Amino acid sequence: MRSDTNQYSENILAGGLEAGGTRFNCVMGRGNGDIIARQTFPTTGPQETLARVANFFEQGISVHGPIQALGIAHFGPIEINRDAKNYGKILATTKAGWSHIDIVGYFSGIFDCPIAFQSDVNGAAIGEYHFGAAKDCDNFVYITVGTGIGGGVYVNGALLNDLGHPEIGHMLVPHDLAQDRFKGSCPYHGDCLEGLASGSAIKVRWGRPAEELEPDHPAWELEAQYLAILCVNLTYCYAPEKIIMGGGVMHQKHLFPLIRQYFMSKMQGYGPPFNATTIEKYIVPTRLEGDAATKGALILAHQAHVMSLK
Ligand code: ZN
């Protein structure tokens, strides 16, 4: 536990929600990140999905007592600036039926407690900072490669631009059409990074989801090259102490050595001097597996509780 949270009442009962594009992970727990109850279900339509979340917390409250704050780490794009007119809402999204849904409004109508609202990726970055692979550093980037690609950036122990959220997945990357003729799957940009290297892109390009592709499938060399380009760009933009990579696609652990290898060759020796030892501590997997964003949501709830006392 970081010193900046020690001063807070860590034992409050809190609700945490990781609202992902594929599934929702609900937890009840403590402000110190301990999880005492959880439920996961697939993301369907907003009415059904949000009702299931509310039902989970209502049942948990009947067993454990009232929650003192709720932290929500939600798939984007969302409005997280409290001063904005659309605060708490989902912005225009390609996810059918979810555009403009008022998430904070929905839950504040049910639960009488402070609510924190952040992007799912920033939520995961917060989890990694307090409990995971970034416990020992104040400057890092957390990347998730799943259905989409997203990233959260920590600078000097705080989220970068936590009034908006970065859209790292949509960065434009070199696309060698001679090597990779796939046009990309991003509805906005076609061949942005997400359009070329997300789990959705892998499925469209190869006709099978990432988890069904063998470790020696050519998909992985290509995937590693795109993710190495991402890491080079992040290194040159932010000079982080480490890059933490999670999400469903990164469950393929054989990707890490390939990404590091391509990263070293693409850097061409310009910038930080990495070697075989330091690179292994620089591009690293999440240590929290699926719990980075749920634990981050509990921290967010805790912070909202503390803010409400001021
Ligand atoms: Zn895009």
Side-chain angles (χ1 to χ4, degrees), residues 170 186 189 192:
H170 294 272
C186 175
H189 314 112
C192 66

Side-chain angles (χ1 to χ4, degrees), residues 120-121 124 142-152 169 230 244-248 250:
D120 52 352
V121 187
Y142 174 82
I143 295 292
T144 181
V145 187
T147 310
I149 297 179
L230 164 69
I244 303 164
M245 305 188 79
M250 300 312 299

Side-chain angles (χ1 to χ4, degrees), residues 25-42:
N25 295 314
C26 309
V27 298
M28 282 185 74
R30 301 289 174 186
N32 64 1
D34 286 349
I35 293 170
I36 56 179
R38 68 167 76 226
Q39 190 177 7
T40 296
F41 40 81

